[in-house]
Amino acid sequence: MKYIDEFRDPHLARALIGQIRKDLKQPLQLMEFCGGHTHAILRFGIRTLLPETLTMSSGPGCPVCVTSASDLDHAMALVRLPGVILTTFGDMVKVPGSQGSLEKARADGADVRIVYSPRDAISLAKKTPDSPVIFLAVGFETTAPGVAASILEAAQLGIRNFFAFSLHKLTSPAVRAILDAGEVKLSGIVGPGHVTTVIGTKAWNFLPEEYHVPIAVAGFEPLDILRAISMLVLQVGEKKARVDNAYSRSVLPQGNQTALAIMNQVFEPCDAEWRGLGVIPRSGLRIREEYAHFDASRAFKVDVSSGAERPGCRCGEVLRGILLPRECPLFRRVCTPEDPVGPCMVSAEGACAAYYQYGEE
Ligand code: SF4
């Protein structure tokens, strides 16, 4: 298939693996920030092809997974309000919180609907003018501009029954938090391709400049990822740290300025709680005062319970890159995609789901 096959060429993959082996002079620990990369690495067997002295850990780049238990409980409280229709992406409905999942709430009679974009929620709001329609907005810089555009559209059309509950998060503060914690000694980071398409490679300059940690931004095909790993191995071998771009067909240094402008028009940074990482300053996005009418957290006052984690779940450690899914005692035995204990087993970007699906023990 055009534009796919050339990024899965086995001859080129073998050449890149040979280059990585040749350039690797010392044990390296890399982190792939993005859950999409974790899935691609396992799906294409990349981990098994790499030298044993090159280890890769998963990071917190799964928006569903990093949504905190208390934010989930807040969403559960919203959906229980009389007459409310709560809309969200498919992954979110299955995530178990301390008050059960949105799927369970739906079985109990709550109106929870899966949508494919926030514009679907706008369409629903138009069709049901007497019901508040809340869009549960989860995602990084990749999805926030689309939600911002929907809020602008609702404002322009005068749709007063559309609301967004913003749990959006920003990626670079999470990377800083992981490096500042120092729990995992990283030699380099495989940077998120979709996020960097929006924020641009310049947004990662702080990594080499402040932490002397190299980053190589990657796409999601095997050659993209192998090329990024090869770039990182080379940088470490040369004792250099810079921002490399192995996804130049999508990512520009300045990112997508139009998307960033829309995002910044509607949202402003705020402190946000991440599963596993706690509260990270200015790592979330809240709706600006000017668009406060559309902010579900201001429009609906609810009592939010404790936000307790499910007993035994170690998603927090998986998201910090200090625990492999197979090292969680519940993995496969108790926690499965059919009966997940934590969000990392639910989401299409979750590390535990990737290890389960692609059979890596
Ligand atoms: Fe959480 Fe399940 Fe993963 Fe364990 S296996 S960390 S319980 S999602």
Side-chain angles (χ1 to χ4, degrees):
M1 194 189 299
K2 184 81 179 139
Y3 303 124
I4 296 275
D5 290 347
E6 50 268 69
F7 296 102
R8 296 181 181 180
D9 184 316
H11 300 290
L12 293 176
R14 270 194 285 276
L16 278 167
I17 290 160
Q19 192 66 45
I20 290 168
R21 289 184 180 279
K22 185 165 155 270
D23 292 338
L24 186 68
K25 308 284 187 228
Q26 62 192 83
L28 285 196
Q29 163 99 49
L30 305 180
M31 171 179 277
E32 75 273 3
F33 176 89
C34 177
H37 283 147
T38 303
H39 276 254
I41 286 167
L42 291 164
R43 178 178 169 209
F44 293 108
I46 290 173
R47 196 187 292 272
T48 57
L49 300 171
L50 295 172
E52 277 183 10
T53 50
L54 198 166
T55 49
M56 301 208 55
S57 55
S58 307
C62 163
V64 169
C65 307
V66 295
T67 299
S68 71
S70 57
D71 284 339
L72 260 177
D73 285 352
H74 194 151
M76 291 293 287
L78 289 173
V79 79
R80 291 202 178 101
L81 292 172
V84 159
I85 302 173
L86 189 121
T87 60
T88 191
F89 299 132
D91 280 5
M92 271 314 285
V93 300
K94 290 192 176 148
V95 177
S98 68
Q99 306 295 307
S101 64
L102 292 169
E103 193 173 53
K104 168 82 171 43
R106 181 166 59 185
D108 292 342
D111 198 342
V112 179
R113 304 194 196 183
I114 293 170
V115 291
Y116 295 99
S117 84
R119 296 200 71 199
D120 293 344
I122 297 252
S123 302
L124 182 62
K126 281 192 210 160
K127 282 188 213 146
T128 57
D130 296 330
S131 301
V133 175
I134 299 175
F135 179 68
L136 178 54
V138 170
F140 297 129
E141 294 93 330
T142 335
T143 44
V147 176
S150 298
I151 290 171
L152 291 177
E153 185 182 346
Q156 196 183 16
L157 297 176
I159 299 171
R160 307 295 288 172
N161 64 324
F162 170 78
F163 304 89
F165 180 44
S166 174
L167 300 178
H168 285 303
K169 295 191 171 51
L170 301 170
T171 46
S172 58
V175 174
R176 277 185 188 276
I178 284 178
L179 292 171
D180 289 341
E183 287 180 305
V184 50
K185 292 271 170 263
L186 294 179
S187 314
I189 293 172
V190 175
H194 294 149
V195 162
T196 311
T197 300
V198 175
I199 65 175
T201 52
K202 282 184 185 170
W204 298 111
N205 284 349
F206 72 91
L207 281 171
E209 288 169 5
E210 296 177 38
Y211 293 90
H212 202 73
V213 169
I215 178 168
V217 177
F220 296 85
E221 293 299 328
L223 294 191
D224 294 323
I225 295 168
L226 285 170
R227 189 155 163 253
I229 293 171
S230 176
M231 287 168 151
L232 291 171
V233 169
L234 194 63
Q235 285 198 54
V236 175
E238 292 173 341
K239 298 199 177 354
K240 297 264 170 58
R242 61 177 176 266
V243 180
D244 277 343
N245 184 1
Y247 197 28
S248 56
R249 67 186 183 281
S250 177
V251 171
L252 298 170
Q254 71 276 20
N256 183 330
Q257 290 292 315
T258 306
L260 286 172
I262 291 171
M263 185 176 92
N264 292 328
Q265 183 181 345
V266 174
F267 292 114
E268 61 186 354
C270 64
D271 298 351
E273 186 182 356
W274 295 58
R275 186 185 298 270
L277 295 168
V279 175
I280 304 177
R282 296 176 66 80
S283 68
L285 288 174
R286 76 173 159 226
I287 296 172
R288 288 183 186 275
E289 188 66 37
E290 193 181 343
Y291 301 98
H293 169 81
F294 300 99
D295 185 350
S297 68
R298 289 166 161 123
F300 304 95
K301 292 294 165 215
V302 287
D303 284 333
V304 181
S305 60
S306 65
E309 298 287 349
R310 300 281 302 276
C313 177
R314 299 187 58 186
C315 284
E317 291 155 86
V318 171
L319 291 164
R320 299 205 301 277
I322 58 172
L323 188 88
L324 288 171
R326 63 169 180 258
E327 292 165 344
C328 171
L330 306 188
F331 182 73
R332 275 190 200 282
R333 296 176 190 90
V334 178
C335 181
T336 64
E338 292 73 37
D339 193 10
V341 177
C344 297
M345 189 58 93
V346 177
S347 171
E349 295 177 291
C352 299
Y355 275 75
Y356 188 95
Q357 192 174 350
Y358 301 112
E360 191 166 310
E361 288 300 332

